Amino acid sequence: MAVQAAAEQARRVRPPEFYLDVPGSQLVATEVLMRVQDTIVEAVEAKAMSLVYGEAGLGKTFATRAALARLDPDLVLSLEFARSRPGPKDLREELFVQMRLQGKMPGTPTPFDRLLLASLPRRPYVIVCDEAQQYRRPCFEFVRNLWDNTGRDRPAVIFVGGREANDTLQSDPALASRICTRCEVLAMSEAEALKVVRAMHPVWEGAEEGLLAHIDRVHAGGSMREWARATHHVLKGLKHFQTGEVDRRVVDWALEQC
């Protein structure tokens, strides 16, 4: 029973997690969140292969998990690996576990792929390949072969990763031609950042706009992860100075900690 419970837990897609888990943080419908959601909806409806990519800290994985939370978790096959540079063998074994296939895992690639190709069409699965910048080319080719050969009931496939993932896909015409939609995640503009952070955490609600712009210019640069880090240290700064006002003194102290 314990093994079965562990497998069930591993099979479920992880919910979106706020960086540093800053108390009081709120989910905000940013432009990134909406664009990623549209990309995933399109991929699922078209049973297509799509890519969400960009630099670290801009909210790719968070937005993807928030969008996937709308789907039936039993249909989401989320391929995440503790070790770097997984190979096709890792992907095969993870799919076997998450699809809860019966019997012993095949010991060689050909019968393993036959089993997967026979099993994937049974349900409208969505394969999510997170941290895809870690994938070697054979991993992308393995997923492409599954998608190509499953027929009309093929799964949707969503790659999520850094720019290296896009570079690898673009460098191979066979892979590049199968990507239906590319969603590049960029840093927020200063105007959007100032709007978003006020909704993201109540500590910023009363802060002066010029002070927020200063934080974005010298530290955050439109990155949600860096704004979360600044929020964490500003909350510490308020306690340090025993004040309830976010002013330049608190901000300068906080940014020194970042």
Side-chain angles (χ1 to χ4, degrees), residues 15-195:
E17 299 171 349
F18 289 105
Y19 176 64
L20 296 179
D21 194 24
V22 179
S25 295
Q26 301 293 322
L27 178 63
V28 183
T30 63
E31 181 180 343
V32 166
L33 190 68
M34 302 306 293
R35 288 180 60 230
V36 170
Q37 179 175 301
D38 289 345
T39 297
I40 290 176
V41 168
E42 180 179 0
V44 172
E45 290 180 348
K47 299 179 181 178
M49 295 176 66
S50 295
L51 169 67
V52 177
Y53 74 101
E55 301 295 342
L58 301 184
K60 301 182 300 297
T61 297
F62 184 95
T64 299
R65 289 177 180 170
L68 292 172
R70 299 168 176 260
L71 303 179
D72 181 346
D74 288 335
L75 300 179
V76 179
L77 307 176
S78 184
L79 307 185
E80 299 181 48
F81 302 94
R83 76 181 189 89
S84 62
R85 299 296 177 187
K89 180 176 183 291
D90 299 297
L91 272 64
R92 288 184 178 96
E93 292 178 353
E94 189 65 18
L95 286 170
F96 184 96
V97 171
Q98 293 202 28
M99 293 169 69
R100 293 181 288 181
L101 300 180
Q102 300 300 310
K104 185 179 179 181
M105 285 186 187
T108 55
T110 299
F112 212 145
D113 291 351
R114 287 176 182 158
L115 174 62
L116 294 175
L117 288 170
S119 303
L120 281 169
R122 295 173 184 169
R123 306 186 72 186
Y125 286 114
V126 180
I127 299 176
V128 183
C129 303
D130 201 5
E131 301 295 343
Q133 75 277 1
Q134 297 285 348
Y135 280 20
R136 303 181 181 95
R137 187 184 299 272
C139 288
F140 288 108
E141 293 173 347
F142 164 72
V143 175
R144 174 180 68 82
N145 285 330
L146 283 183
W147 188 82
D148 277 351
N149 295 304
T150 309
R152 291 184 57 186
D153 295 321
R154 59 170 56 105
V157 176
I158 301 161
F159 295 109
V160 185
R163 294 186 183 278
E164 300 92 331
N166 182 57
D167 293 344
T168 301
L169 289 166
Q170 285 289 84
S171 67
D172 187 323
L175 291 168
S177 65
R178 285 164 173 79
I179 299 299
C180 175
T181 305
R182 284 177 174 80
C183 177
E184 182 178 8
V185 176
L186 301 172
M188 293 182 291
S189 67
E190 183 177 297
E192 184 184 10
L194 269 56
K195 179 180 178 181

Side-chain angles (χ1 to χ4, degrees), residues 178-238:
R178 285 164 173 79
I179 299 299
C180 175
T181 305
R182 284 177 174 80
C183 177
E184 182 178 8
V185 176
L186 301 172
M188 293 182 291
S189 67
E190 183 177 297
E192 184 184 10
L194 269 56
K195 179 180 178 181
V196 165
V197 297
R198 290 190 190 278
M200 180 184 77
H201 199 282
V203 75
W204 301 116
E205 290 177 357
E208 295 180 358
E209 185 169 301
L211 193 57
L212 296 178
H214 170 73
I215 297 171
D216 197 58
R217 290 169 190 167
V218 305
H219 173 70
S223 165
M224 287 296 292
R225 184 174 296 172
E226 294 305 326
W227 267 107
R229 192 195 326 230
T231 303
H232 170 74
H233 288 294
V234 160
L235 290 171
K236 286 170 53 182
L238 294 176

Side-chain angles (χ1 to χ4, degrees), residues 3-19:
V3 173
Q4 182 179 356
E8 177 73 12
Q9 181 66 26
R11 186 175 53 79
R12 296 189 179 279
V13 64
R14 291 166 57 189
E17 299 171 349
F18 289 105
Y19 176 64

